[in-house]
């Protein structure tokens, strides 16, 4: 399946972290807690915003409801969601490399 | 159900979510906790003074069970619902934990939904006025009804202007 990545990327910080948190099936509140923890408190997603993110990601086919437990929807990544996340991470790795190179260059300039 | 209640009459414009939230929080500090809202009549339950954060949302759709569950898991309680207005409250402290919406797009969506509703309401009002004008009916209408119609139109137009201004401001702050 060919994915038109331009339709999904770049992911917003919140969306990125929701997809990352879904490396295992989880329900909404567990995702909120996990995102806050793994982002070291940098990304906090309100429940109202998160629900909207679910609706969008479900419509895009990046996540899927796998089951429901006492009115809690459990979501998981779809194959397409995994591929989009992989492409995002690939691009971010390049960004990070370039950012670090630039910072090193700037620091060297300062030292001289 | 022996606890006493207090009912207050208060008007807010459609874009005044922050004002509503501050007023409800101040009431909670006085021990008055929102129980129900009916048109412009707010009913409060008398109880202990508490620092409660309120958040107002608007949605034409009813509160879905999964949505309610997610918000309850996150520490929110639905205090009242009235004509699409949802009043959520939490005793969680300040910061991001006290927000339902944490990005501009989802914060703005509430006002977009309200604006769409207000614009939809404008059509029957406009129709009523043009029809009445065409048929020279204004003289025949009873003054109370005419005042009611004019007041409705004034509220509608003001709400549209205020909501548009709010959305415009949010969009400008975002960029």
């Amino acid at each position: 399946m060919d994915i038109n990545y331009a339709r999904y990327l770049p992911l917003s910080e919140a969306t990125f972290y929701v997809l990352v948190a879904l490396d295992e099936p989880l329900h909404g509140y567990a995702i909120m807690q996990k995102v806050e923890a793994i982002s070291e408190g940098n990304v906090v997603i309100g429940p109202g915003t998160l629900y909207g993110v679910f609706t969008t990601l479900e419509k895009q086919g990046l996540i899927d409801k796998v089951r429901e437990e006492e009115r809690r929807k459990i979501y998981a990544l779809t194959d397409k969601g995994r591929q989009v996340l992989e492409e995002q991470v690939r691009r971010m790795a390049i960004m990070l490399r370039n950012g670090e190179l630039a910072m090193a260059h700037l620091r060297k300039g300062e030292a001289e | 159900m022996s606890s006493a209640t207090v009912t207050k009459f208060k008007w807010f414009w459609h874009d005044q979510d922050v004002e509503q939230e501050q007023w409800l929080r101040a009431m909670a500090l006085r021990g008055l906790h929102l129980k129900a809202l009916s048109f412009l009549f707010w009913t409060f339950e008398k109880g202990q003074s508490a620092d409660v954060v309120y958040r107002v949302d608007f949605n034409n759709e009813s509160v879905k069970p999964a949505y309610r569950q997610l918000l309850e898991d996150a520490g929110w309680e639905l205090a009242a619902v009235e004509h699409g207005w949802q009043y959520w409250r939490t005793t969680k402290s300040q910061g991001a934990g006290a927000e339902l919406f944490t990005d501009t797009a989802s914060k703005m969506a509430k006002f977009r939904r309200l604006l769409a509703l207000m614009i939809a309401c404008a059509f029957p009002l406009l129709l009523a006025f043009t029809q009445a004008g065409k048929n020279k009916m204004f003289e025949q209408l009873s003054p109370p009804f005419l005042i009611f119609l004019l007041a409705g139109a004034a509220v509608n137009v003001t709400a549209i202007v205020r909501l548009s201004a709010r959305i415009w401001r949010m969009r400008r702050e975002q960029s």
Side-chain angles (χ1 to χ4, degrees), chain B residues 10-27 42 54-56 87 110-111 162 166 169:
Chain B
K10 199 166 172 70
W11 163 267
F12 287 100
W13 287 104
H14 304 68
D15 59 308
Q16 287 183 310
D17 57 341
V18 177
E19 289 83 351
Q20 293 184 59
E21 289 162 3
Q22 284 170 349
W23 181 61
L24 291 169
R25 190 175 186 181
M27 295 298 271
W42 307 71
Y54 281 84
R55 291 289 176 251
V56 184
Y87 293 84
K110 165 171 77 180
F111 297 111
R162 292 186 64 119
R166 179 74 189 261
R169 228 173 26 241

Side-chain angles (χ1 to χ4, degrees), chain B residues 58-119:
Chain B
F58 178 83
N59 207 321
N60 294 311
E61 288 175 19
S62 60
V63 183
K64 294 204 177 88
Y67 184 68
R68 190 180 184 138
Q69 185 64 52
L70 174 59
L71 268 67
E72 283 177 359
D73 284 347
W76 294 87
E77 180 198 6
L78 187 59
V81 185
E82 161 72 356
H83 279 97
W85 291 94
Q86 301 170 14
Y87 293 84
W88 294 91
R89 69 178 159 218
T90 184
T91 50
K92 273 199 175 176
S93 54
Q94 321 292 311
E99 296 296 341
L100 294 180
F101 298 102
T102 41
D103 67 11
T104 313
S106 55
K107 279 179 201 163
M108 221 150 63
K110 165 171 77 180
F111 297 111
R112 285 186 194 282
R113 288 191 291 267
L114 273 165
L115 183 61
L117 181 70
M118 286 300 119
I119 289 171

Side-chain angles (χ1 to χ4, degrees), chain B residues 138-151:
Chain B
F138 280 118
E139 304 90 70
Q140 293 159 37
L141 290 173
S142 70
F145 181 72
L146 201 59
I147 288 166
F148 179 76
L149 205 63
L150 284 168

Side-chain angles (χ1 to χ4, degrees), chain A residues 11-25:
Chain A
L11 300 168
S12 72
E13 207 173 15
T15 307
F16 170 77
Y17 269 110
V18 169
L19 294 184
V20 165
L22 285 175
D23 60 357
E24 58 183 329

